[in-house]
Amino acid sequence: MSTSKTFQAVIYCRVSSAAQMRKGDGLVSQETRCRDYARAKGYEVAEVFRDEGASGGMIDRPAMQAMLAFLKSRRKHKTHIVLIDDISRLARGVEAHLQLRTAISAAGGKLESPSIEFGDDSDSMLVENLLASVSQHQRQKNAEQTRNRMEARVRNGYWAFSPPLGYRYGKLDGHSGRVLIPEQPLAGIIQEALQSYADGRLDSQAEVQRFLQSQPLFPKNKHGAVHPQRVPVLLSQALYAGYLTVKEWSIHRQPAKHEPLISFETFLRIQDRLEGKALAPVRTDTNTDFPLRGFVTCASCGHPLTAYWAKGRSKHYPYYSCYQRDCVDSRKSTGKAELEGAFSDLLDRITPSAETLGVAKIMFEDLWDARAVHAKERAKKAEKDIQKIERKIAQLLTRILETDNPTLIRTYEGELHKLEERKHLLAEQAARKASPNKPFEECFRTALAFLENPRKLWDSGQINDQRKLIKLTFAGKLAYHREKGFRTAKTTLPFKVLEEISADDSNMARPRGFEPLTPRLGIWYSIQLSYGRTSVCHM
């Protein structure tokens, strides 16, 4: 009859990345080796603890803590053998190794491995510490090599971190490794938000947030909302303009190889708007009930009208009202239907005729052709300016190398960044083709459709479309009088020009001499040229 004692064992496995699973040193292979060792030693495996995605430099790992708790709960009854496949699976740092070794011993465990023989004598401890030091060196070396490879890839124009919202990693011909690729339709949503903010169609970060909130396909948080802090992150992300920035590697707006969503010029306009402007809070009461809220003012005092629901006997009624105490129309309400009906009539009055739109289309085509000629001239000038900037950059680099003064170095680096930005902007302008990629009809189809029927956006009932219509049509707030209706409204330039086109221009005197025409007269001469009245057009 055998009197040999059967020891109970626990197995601890750890991997720090998915790559280790693919290379064959994953959790399953570690467990198999430990089970084979336990079988050969006659150990009974009581539990298996697995840490996946846990760094070897960490001590506080979920499975490790669970194993220590298990050992402590059984410490009074018997000592357990703790099996690890290799010393690096316990830890990849000398300090972490010693702390875990002590914690396992204190919990009633005895460390063993099929790869190394642990012991308490000085020679065994020396070998163990040396192996732990080697493991730590390998971990640090791997991290260093990974960092160097990532930095080199970024300097070559490729993003090496998690893709930003609106992009995904993919393979493209002509590129080594993975490259950022726009992920539609999310990329299109972000592109519209960025461009609209740069152009002023979205006045504030709060409006950008509202726009993103209205997009069903834009990701929301667990509360179903777009967090306000996501907006400045999107607006300040140079990746969307095709440039890479990594401060810890001193990489400042390095031209990237991926396809940008916006131009660098648009990105700079966004940054100009962001400087010194705090994040505006979003109004929680902006909804489809009152699309004119904030755009209509009291004609008597100039303050914005308040929109609200008043409770009646059986239901609620919508009103617009002025609440300024010293106003003659204070607390005198106007029904929503009446005020918004007057606004609809206003839109009808400024809608141009078909004949006027026909003239405007010819005018736009003339301007389109003129812009194409000017684009070639600007491209040539931009190339010359780039050469001048490159000479200045070379001079600054020489000064940086020649000085040891930290203040001067920071000053020169600041100037260097400004010159680099200017160079990127000019290079982008020079790269633009003299003629657009798309024909005139395709580029202006949306604009002409809007000018033909601006009320279409108003009748859509979509709050974002309605508020966009107001901004595109009117140059300021709309003053409303309870008895006289809307005062004369200031329209935006396109509608103002269309109004002048439709007016009688028979009494306009033709300019004489060689002085250049004002922009407005230049537009008039384009119109007259379209009718064949003149032979020369000045822009």
Side-chain angles (χ1 to χ4, degrees):
M1 182 175 179
S2 176
T3 58
S4 60
K5 183 178 179 181
T6 300
F7 286 96
Q8 281 200 334
V10 296
I11 297 175
Y12 175 76
C13 311
R14 181 188 66 82
V15 290
S16 57
S17 66
Q20 290 183 324
M21 303 287 290
R22 296 192 300 268
K23 290 190 299 183
D25 53 352
L27 299 175
V28 175
S29 60
Q30 293 179 39
E31 182 179 340
T32 299
R33 286 201 67 202
C34 290
R35 284 190 179 276
D36 291 343
Y37 177 84
R39 190 178 302 110
K41 286 283 194 174
Y43 299 154
E44 177 186 343
V45 177
E47 288 286 345
V48 179
F49 299 90
R50 306 173 183 87
D51 266 320
E52 186 173 356
S55 170
M58 294 171 48
I59 300 175
D60 189 13
R61 311 169 202 155
M64 173 60 71
Q65 297 304 315
M67 185 188 73
L68 293 175
F70 175 84
L71 294 176
K72 291 176 181 178
S73 67
R74 304 293 183 91
R75 179 171 49 189
K76 294 182 180 180
H77 303 288
K78 60 176 65 177
T79 298
H80 282 70
I81 306 297
V82 178
L83 299 179
I84 56 174
D85 176 47
D86 185 79
I87 194 171
S88 62
R89 297 305 91 202
L90 182 65
R92 276 189 173 272
V94 176
E95 183 178 353
H97 174 85
L98 293 177
Q99 290 184 20
L100 289 177
R101 183 88 151 80
T102 302
I104 290 172
S105 178
K110 182 182 178 184
L111 201 60
E112 291 190 19
S113 170
S115 303
I116 178 178
E117 184 174 347
F118 293 97
D120 296 328
D121 59 284
S122 59
D123 290 340
S124 298
M125 291 298 295
L126 175 62
V127 173
E128 181 180 340
N129 291 337
L130 286 174
L131 290 175
S133 297
V134 171
S135 182
Q136 175 176 291
H137 175 265
Q138 290 176 342
R139 178 176 64 87
Q140 293 172 338
K141 192 66 177 178
N142 289 340
E144 182 181 318
Q145 290 176 344
T146 299
R147 178 193 176 281
N148 291 340
R149 286 194 294 268
M150 291 175 67
E151 181 178 352
R153 186 156 181 79
V154 172
R155 292 191 182 279
N156 286 331
Y158 295 95
W159 189 240
F161 307 93
S162 298
L165 203 61
Y167 281 100
R168 63 176 177 84
Y169 277 118
K171 293 280 189 177
L172 286 179
D173 294 339
H175 296 272
S176 60
R178 300 187 306 165
V179 62
L180 291 178
I181 300 175
E183 185 178 23
Q184 299 296 350
L186 191 55
I189 295 173
I190 295 173
Q191 181 183 44
E192 183 177 355
L194 296 175
Q195 192 68 55
S196 297
Y197 183 77
D199 295 340
R201 295 194 299 274
L202 295 175
D203 281 339
S204 64
Q205 296 183 43
E207 289 201 9
V208 175
Q209 183 188 2
R210 270 197 297 270
F211 169 78
L212 298 176
Q213 184 72 41
S214 69
Q215 303 297 317
L217 297 178
F218 192 85
K220 315 292 194 303
N221 60 22
K222 62 181 181 180
H223 303 294
V226 176
H227 196 280
Q229 291 303 320
R230 170 161 276 182
V231 175
V233 172
L234 289 177
L235 295 176
S236 59
Q237 181 61 270
L239 277 170
Y240 294 127
Y243 289 86
L244 311 177
T245 296
V246 184
K247 291 183 179 180
E248 54 267 34
W249 295 340
S250 299
I251 298 176
H252 181 74
R253 294 179 185 171
Q254 166 82 18
K257 300 293 179 64
H258 65 265
E259 177 186 348
L261 300 185
I262 57 174
S263 67
F264 188 64
E265 181 181 5
T266 299
F267 173 76
L268 291 181
R269 291 210 311 271
I270 292 174
Q271 305 318 300
D272 288 341
R273 293 199 62 191
L274 289 177
E275 287 183 3
K277 293 180 174 62
L279 181 64
V282 179
R283 288 184 63 124
T284 58
D285 57 356
T286 298
N287 52 47
T288 56
D289 294 339
F290 301 103
L292 293 178
R293 184 202 301 269
F295 291 105
V296 178
T297 63
C298 174
S300 299
C301 67
H303 286 86
L305 295 182
T306 299
Y308 63 96
W309 286 90
K311 185 177 181 181
R313 290 185 178 180
S314 58
K315 61 179 182 179
H316 289 75
Y317 298 91
Y319 291 101
Y320 288 88
S321 179
C322 178
Y323 272 80
Q324 294 300 311
R325 293 182 179 180
D326 55 349
C327 179
V328 295
D329 289 324
S330 178
R331 297 186 177 275
K332 295 179 181 179
S333 301
T334 302
K336 167 185 164 71
E338 179 182 349
L339 189 145
E340 294 181 2
F343 179 77
S344 296
D345 294 339
L346 177 62
L347 288 178
D348 291 337
R349 291 198 298 271
I350 67 172
T351 299
S353 65
E355 181 182 3
T356 300
L357 278 173
V359 176
K361 181 179 178 181
I362 298 173
M363 179 189 74
F364 288 151
E365 288 178 326
D366 289 341
L367 292 175
W368 181 269
D369 295 337
R371 289 293 181 101
V373 175
H374 294 160
K376 290 182 179 180
E377 298 174 355
R378 288 196 302 269
K380 292 180 180 178
K381 183 178 184 302
E383 290 175 355
K384 293 181 180 179
D385 290 341
I386 288 174
Q387 295 175 359
K388 294 179 182 179
I389 289 177
E390 287 178 342
R391 288 194 292 269
K392 291 181 179 179
I393 289 176
Q395 293 172 358
L396 275 177
L397 289 174
T398 301
R399 292 179 183 177
I400 291 175
L401 293 174
E402 291 177 348
T403 184
D404 295 328
N405 189 316
T407 303
L408 282 177
I409 291 176
R410 285 194 297 269
T411 302
Y412 291 152
E413 287 178 343
E415 291 298 321
L416 194 62
H417 288 163
K418 292 179 181 178
L419 288 173
E420 288 286 355
E421 286 185 1
R422 180 63 181 164
K423 177 184 172 183
H424 295 328
L425 182 59
L426 290 172
E428 184 180 82
Q429 293 174 352
R432 292 174 183 167
K433 296 180 180 179
S435 57
N437 295 328
K438 298 180 181 180
F440 169 83
E441 289 287 347
E442 184 176 349
C443 291
F444 276 82
R445 185 184 300 120
T446 302
L448 292 173
F450 168 72
L451 293 173
E452 181 181 9
N453 186 13
R455 186 167 171 174
K456 184 177 180 180
L457 287 179
W458 176 256
D459 293 337
S460 69
Q462 299 296 320
I463 185 67
N464 288 321
D465 289 344
Q466 291 173 327
R467 296 175 77 84
K468 185 184 299 183
L469 158 75
I470 300 169
K471 294 177 183 178
L472 290 174
T473 308
F474 300 100
K477 304 290 185 180
L478 301 174
Y480 181 80
H481 192 276
R482 292 179 59 254
E483 297 177 356
K484 300 178 181 179
F486 282 101
R487 296 282 178 85
T488 302
K490 294 182 180 179
T491 55
T492 52
L493 182 60
F495 286 95
K496 188 178 298 184
V497 172
L498 290 173
E499 289 172 8
E500 294 185 356
I501 293 175
S502 62
D504 181 10
D505 63 338
S506 58
N507 295 324
M508 283 193 63
R510 174 172 174 166
R512 301 289 183 181
F514 297 95
E515 291 296 323
L517 299 178
T518 63
R520 179 167 295 181
L521 288 176
I523 292 174
W524 272 108
Y525 261 67
S526 294
I527 298 167
Q528 292 175 335
L529 176 64
S530 302
Y531 277 122
R533 298 178 184 173
T534 62
S535 58
V536 180
C537 175
H538 299 274
M539 295 301 296

